[in-house]
Amino acid sequence: MERHVLESLLAGDDEASVIALATLRSGATYWVADRAQPAGQHARVFKRRLQRMRMHGLEPLGLKRAVQLIREHGQPVRAGFIDAADRTWTTLLFLAEDGSALVACAGWPLPLVRKPPL
């Protein structure tokens, strides 16, 4: 998927999409899957990842909403990532099967490991 096409899909006003677009425009690397996978499969995997992140004191931006949106979408989705050039932020994307629309977006700061308090 070409960068300008992905930028046009990130035109939403939710915080995760706004950050994703800004990150992409600032020179981030990105990847979008060529094939779609069942929405329910993604919803189960990322619901579990959300639970694990929360167990470690992390609250990813928009991941709970993304899991809900892809489950409601019900059709296969293509996953993708946008990684900030400075490696401080990553965005998870879910696109419609044909890549024509953004279904959901979530993000979190990197590194994903929190150091325990001293």
Side-chain angles (χ1 to χ4, degrees):
M1 174 173 287
E2 293 185 37
R3 185 177 293 268
H4 72 278
V5 173
L6 184 54
E7 286 180 4
S8 69
L9 296 176
L10 293 168
D13 60 357
D14 63 286
E15 191 175 3
S17 295
V18 169
I19 291 172
L21 180 58
T23 303
L24 189 61
R25 287 182 172 163
S26 70
T29 58
Y30 69 97
W31 169 85
V32 176
D34 293 328
R35 295 183 13 210
Q37 299 292 327
Q41 180 180 346
H42 282 297
R44 282 187 301 278
V45 167
F46 285 97
K47 179 181 178 185
R48 192 140 207 245
R49 289 187 184 176
L50 173 61
Q51 292 168 340
R52 291 184 58 85
M53 286 180 187
R54 286 177 169 170
M55 285 175 32
H56 293 284
L58 299 165
E59 185 60 41
L61 178 64
L63 188 54
K64 180 179 178 182
R65 181 172 181 262
V67 168
Q68 177 184 353
L69 289 173
I70 60 176
R71 183 174 284 127
E72 290 172 1
H73 181 68
Q75 301 297 314
V77 291
R78 292 169 58 186
F81 286 97
I82 299 172
D83 293 319
D86 64 2
R87 303 289 298 151
T88 59
W89 187 263
T90 193
T91 300
L92 171 65
L93 307 168
F94 295 102
L95 304 176
E97 185 171 14
D98 64 0
S100 66
L102 179 69
V103 175
C105 182
W108 51 86
L110 295 174
L112 202 53
V113 177
R114 295 270 175 139
K115 293 181 180 175
L118 298 174

